[in-house]
Amino acid sequence: MAGATGSTRDTFAATWADALSDTAFVATERAELLQRLGELTDILVAEVCRNPFESKPIERVGAELVTLRFIAPEALSATVRLVGDLLATRDNGRLAAVQAALTCGFVRAVQARIFREQEMLRHAALDARDRAEAARRQSEARFRAMFADAAIGIGIADTTGRLLEINSALGQMLDLVPEQLQGRHLAEFLHPDDPPELRRFFHETVAGERDHYRIERRFVRRDGSPLWTNLTVSLVRDEHGVPQLLVGMVEDNTERHVLSEKLRHQANHDPLTGLGNRALFTDRLHAAFGGADGARIGLCYLDLDGFKAINDTLGHVVGDQLLVEIADRLHRLVTAPGRLLARMGGDEFVVLVENTDGMAELTDLAQRLLAEVSEPVLVGGHRLTVSASVGIVERAVTASTPADTMRDADVTLHWAKVDGKNRWACYDPERNAREIARITLSAAMPAALERGEFYVEYQPIVRLSDGALLGAEALVRWAHPEFGRLGPDRFIGLAEETGLIVPLGRWVLATACAQAAEWAAHAARTGGPQPSISVNLAARQLVEPGLVDDVDQILRAVGLPPASLQLELTESAIMGTTGEPLGALHKLVDLGIRIAIDDFGTGYSNLAYLRHLPVHALKIAGSFVEGLRADEPDSVDAQIVRALVSLAHTLKLDVVAEGVETRDQADRLTALGCDSAQGWLYAKPGPPEEINRWMDQH
C-alpha cells in the first residue's frame, strides 16, 4: 500500500479482522479474511492520498463489510475507529470525509440488504398465502365433492337442531330435495314411536358432554314410511371449545333391518302355522316371571289326541293342513293382551296367560279350547274330528320358576292323557309327589335287588271243606330304607314297565321254590302235609325265551317236584296268550307244573278260548268275595261266584277264592261249591315260619 510498509498493512488487517470477529460469527477462513481486509486497507490508504478525492471507493469499502456479513453497528463502530487510528498520522484533512463515506457505504449496503430481505419475506408471505389459498380451495372442493356425491347421507345442523346443509343422499333417503330440508328442525323427521331416551345423546352432545355418538335411529320419509338408519353424530367446536355445529352421517339401514326382523320372526315363529315357537314362548315365560311380585300366570298345555294316526293313514300333507286349521282356531280364541299361543312342536300347543284371576279362568279357557278343537275340520276332502287333552298350571310367579312351571304343565298334560283323553287336568302337587315317588322307586329297584332289600311273605291256601293246608302263595315285599315296607301294588307295575320284573320274578321264584323244598323236608320229617307253592308270573316273564329252562333249573337246583309248583297269571295276561308264550305254558305243564288264572272275573275273558288253555285252577277275585253275605244268599256277587264256580268245574278246574275275611264269606263259598280259599280269615301274609306252624298244627 502506498505510503505504508507491508508489516503495517498486515498488522492493521489483522487488528481489523479481530475487531470484526468480536461483532459477528465469521464464516470465512481467517487467511481469506485477512487477504480481503488487506485489499480494503489498500483502497482506504490510496483514496486518502488521491487528488482529487473520490468518496465512491471509500463507500464501496463500507458496502464490502456488509457483503462480508459484518452488519452489526459494532462492526461499523470498530471499523471507523480503526480507520481513524490508521489515518491519523496521514491526516490531510480528509479523515472525516473518509469516515463519512465509509459510514455512508455501510449504511446504504445495510439498507439495501434489509430491503432485499424484506422483499424476500414479502414474496415468501405472498407465496405462502397463495399456496394456502390454493390448498383451501382444493380442500373445500374435495369436501364439496365428498359432501355432494357421498353415498351416505350427511347433514350439518346447529346446536338447536336446525339443519344448515344437507347432501343429496340424505335428501333421497327422506324423499326430499336438500333445499326442502334446509332450515327445518331435525325433530320434524324423527319417528314418533322412538323412545324419548334416544334424544339424551343429542342433548349431551350439544352441551359439550360428549364429542360423538352412534345409534340406530328411525326417521320418517315424506310418505310417512319409516327410515331405519345407523346415525353417527360428531360435534364441531369453535376456537374456544364451545359447541358450534353438529355433523351427522346417516346410513340407510332399512333393508337390513327388514331382513333382520324377518329372520328374527322366522327364528321365533313356527313356519307351518305362523304361531310363536318354543323359543318365543320361553322368552315370554321368563319375562312373565320377571314381573311384579303379586303377579300370577297360567299355562294351558294342549296336545291333540290320536294325531299320529291321521299322519299315518292320510299322510303328512293332510296332517299339516289339520294343524294349520287347528292353530287358526286356537289363535282366534286366545288372541288378547297378556296371552300368547305357541306351537311347541308336533301337535302340541301352549297358551300363556299373564296376570290370571285364578284357576277358574284357566279351566274355562281349557274347556273352550277343547270345544274349539272338537269341531269337525274339512281338509283334503276329508271331514275329520279330533279331540285334545289339556294340562293346566296356575300359580304366582314368586312361587315357582319357568322351568318348574313348564315341567308341571307337561306332567299335567300326561295325566289328562292317562285319565282318558279329551279332557283337561289341573296340576295336583300331591299327585305329582306320588308320581315322583314312583319314578324314585323305579330308579332304585335295580340296586335294591342287588342289595337284597326284597323279601317274600307267604299266605296259606286252605281247603274250604275242612280247613286243611293245601299250599301257600308267595308274595314279594320291599323293605325300602326310606319309605319302609312296600307291598307289591307299589312296585310290581313299575317293575313290569322297566323290565326289572324278569330278574325280580326269577328271584322270587327261586326263593319261593327253595322255601317250598324246606317245607317238603319238614313234612317228610314230621309226617305232616306238604304244601304246594303258588308264585305269580307276570306277562312280561311269559314272553322271555328262557322261561321254561329257568323254571326247570330252579326246580332241579332246590329239589322241588314240579307238581308242588303252581304259577299264577292274571286273566288279562293269559287270555291273550298265543304263539311262543302259549307254547311256553304247554311246556311248563308238560314238566308237571300247575297253571292258575289269578283275579278271574275282573277281565274280559273269551270263555270259548279258556277251554283250550293249559289251566288247572281259577282264582276268583276278592272283589266278588267281598259282596257275599249270609243274609243275602242270592246277591249279584253270589250269582257271579256261582257262575264262575260252575264254569270252572265244567272245565274240570279247581276254584280258589281270594280275599276271604269273614266266616260268612267262607260258608257262602263252601255252599257255592268253591274248593279252597285264602285271606285274612285264615292268616295274613307272613314269614315262612308261620307256614311251619300251620304244618305242625295239622
Side-chain angles (χ1 to χ4, degrees), residues 320-391:
D320 288 348
Q321 293 174 352
L322 174 62
L323 288 176
V324 171
E325 175 62 27
I326 294 296
D328 289 342
R329 292 182 181 182
L330 298 180
H331 185 261
R332 290 192 297 269
L333 183 63
V334 304
T335 299
R339 292 187 177 184
L340 172 68
L341 171 65
R343 182 188 179 199
M344 302 299 285
D347 58 340
E348 294 183 356
F349 301 86
V350 64
V351 180
L352 169 64
V353 182
E354 301 180 48
N355 301 314
T356 66
D357 296 329
M359 183 61 77
E361 179 184 358
L362 273 297
T363 55
D364 177 68
L365 174 60
Q367 192 66 41
R368 288 186 286 123
L369 291 173
L370 293 177
E372 195 68 33
V373 171
S374 64
E375 290 294 324
V377 182
L378 292 175
V379 289
H382 302 278
R383 180 182 175 86
L384 303 177
T385 301
V386 295
S387 63
S389 301
V390 179

Side-chain angles (χ1 to χ4, degrees), residues 520-594:
H522 181 79
R525 291 192 301 271
T526 61
Q530 178 181 337
S532 63
I533 186 69
S534 293
V535 181
N536 290 285
L537 190 68
R540 177 68 177 79
Q541 292 175 268
L542 189 60
V543 299
E544 280 294 305
L547 173 65
V548 177
D549 291 338
D550 282 346
V551 174
D552 186 40
Q553 290 176 6
I554 290 172
L555 293 175
R556 292 178 182 274
V558 301
L560 183 69
S564 297
L565 173 63
Q566 177 172 278
L567 296 177
E568 299 182 5
L569 289 89
T570 61
E571 182 179 0
S572 58
I574 199 170
M575 285 301 175
T577 304
T578 58
E580 293 185 5
L582 180 59
L585 285 180
H586 282 286
K587 291 179 180 179
L588 290 172
V589 172
D590 292 342
L591 289 176
I593 298 170
R594 290 172 54 85

Side-chain angles (χ1 to χ4, degrees), residues 201 210 212-216 230-233 249 251:
F201 298 102
R210 61 169 69 230
H212 56 82
Y213 64 88
R214 180 181 177 87
I215 59 173
E216 187 179 48
N230 285 327
L231 174 64
T232 302
V233 178
M249 305 185 72
E251 180 184 2

Side-chain angles (χ1 to χ4, degrees), residues 241-255:
V242 178
Q244 186 177 22
L245 297 173
L246 296 174
V247 178
M249 305 185 72
V250 184
E251 180 184 2
D252 188 349
N253 194 31
T254 304
E255 290 186 3

Side-chain angles (χ1 to χ4, degrees), residues 194-227:
D194 275 356
E197 54 266 23
L198 288 181
R199 303 189 182 187
R200 174 174 57 88
F201 298 102
F202 174 83
H203 296 308
E204 291 177 353
T205 304
V206 298
E209 298 176 4
R210 61 169 69 230
D211 287 326
H212 56 82
Y213 64 88
R214 180 181 177 87
I215 59 173
E216 187 179 48
R217 191 82 206 230
R218 269 190 303 177
F219 293 93
V220 181
R221 292 190 176 97
R222 183 174 63 176
D223 60 1
S225 61
L227 170 67

